[in-house]
Amino acid sequence: CPWYISSGWALDLFLGRARRVHHDVDVIIAHQDQLVLQAYMTAREWKFVTPFEKRLEPWPRHMRIEFPRHQVHAHRGDEFIDFLLTDITNGVWRYRREPSIVQTIERSMLTTQDGIPFLAPELVLLFKSKNTSGQARDKDQRDFVEVNAHLEPARRAWLRWALLATNPTHPWIEQL
């Protein structure tokens, strides 16, 4: 099934260089492909847990994860991949936190020259604009500053529109 690198690594792929240390790899897949992912990874000895209410629970084989859950952690020895289940249907990506925010799959997903698929930077920044961890995340502000300088006008305009729709007082709006 299609997959795409997300979060900080996606921004580094967009910029063409690693800018900082990353502590994990985030990969998005379409929500409807989750059982394909589970079967593929389980056959390669990966184990799964899913975060729920501040704890990790096993993800039983052949059981679908439904929203609001949207994340599964894959572990194999010291290896770790964070899979984010994303609403991608009929060629449209939909923002999990505000379903009225959409983008075509052609604009949502990019590919490096080496063929690595990744989430478009404006979508990554939209997620980073609303930190929900309750912790200070200076890295998100640094990511915005570094990536904003390289966004083409259409991507910058889309991010500004999405921020106005989701958080009209966000400080990034003026910089876009």
Side-chain angles (χ1 to χ4, degrees), residues 78-126:
D78 292 337
E79 298 172 298
F80 171 75
I81 303 172
D82 191 357
F83 286 99
L84 306 170
L85 306 177
T86 304
D87 184 355
I88 302 171
T89 51
N90 299 322
V92 175
W93 170 93
R94 192 171 306 279
Y95 184 44
R96 174 177 43 83
R97 295 176 180 156
E98 175 49 63
S100 67
I101 305 294
V102 297
Q103 182 59 278
T104 65
I105 200 73
E106 290 81 17
R107 293 287 296 172
S108 301
M109 310 306 169
L110 303 175
T111 305
T112 66
Q113 289 180 347
D114 294 329
I116 301 169
F118 65 96
L119 190 63
E122 67 273 22
L123 280 64
V124 173
L125 290 173
L126 179 60

Side-chain angles (χ1 to χ4, degrees), residues 20-78:
R20 60 179 169 84
V21 173
H22 300 277
H23 299 288
D24 65 354
V25 174
D26 296 333
V27 176
I28 68 167
I29 67 160
H31 187 266
Q32 66 265 20
D33 291 334
Q34 63 180 282
L35 295 180
V36 174
L37 167 74
Q38 186 187 55
Y40 180 86
M41 299 293 282
T42 301
R44 286 152 183 82
E45 300 182 7
W46 289 83
K47 308 283 187 231
F48 286 100
V49 293
T50 181
F52 185 68
E53 295 181 352
K54 299 185 180 182
R55 67 181 184 275
L56 296 174
E57 296 181 342
W59 182 22
R61 287 182 56 97
H62 309 294
M63 183 176 283
R64 291 184 50 82
I65 292 177
E66 299 301 335
F67 294 118
R69 289 187 193 201
H70 63 276
Q71 188 174 22
V72 293
H73 296 171
H75 298 271
R76 183 174 66 184
D78 292 337

Side-chain angles (χ1 to χ4, degrees), residues 131-175:
N131 174 28
T132 59
S133 71
Q135 302 171 358
R137 295 198 21 146
D138 294 334
K139 69 180 180 180
D140 294 333
Q141 178 62 33
R142 286 191 309 275
D143 285 348
F144 171 75
V145 169
E146 291 180 37
V147 172
N148 184 37
H150 299 278
L151 285 178
E152 64 186 64
R155 293 189 186 283
R156 189 176 288 117
W158 185 93
L159 178 56
R160 185 175 191 283
W161 167 81
L163 287 173
L164 284 168
T166 58
N167 186 358
T169 62
H170 197 285
W172 292 354
I173 293 170
E174 286 186 30
Q175 298 171 54

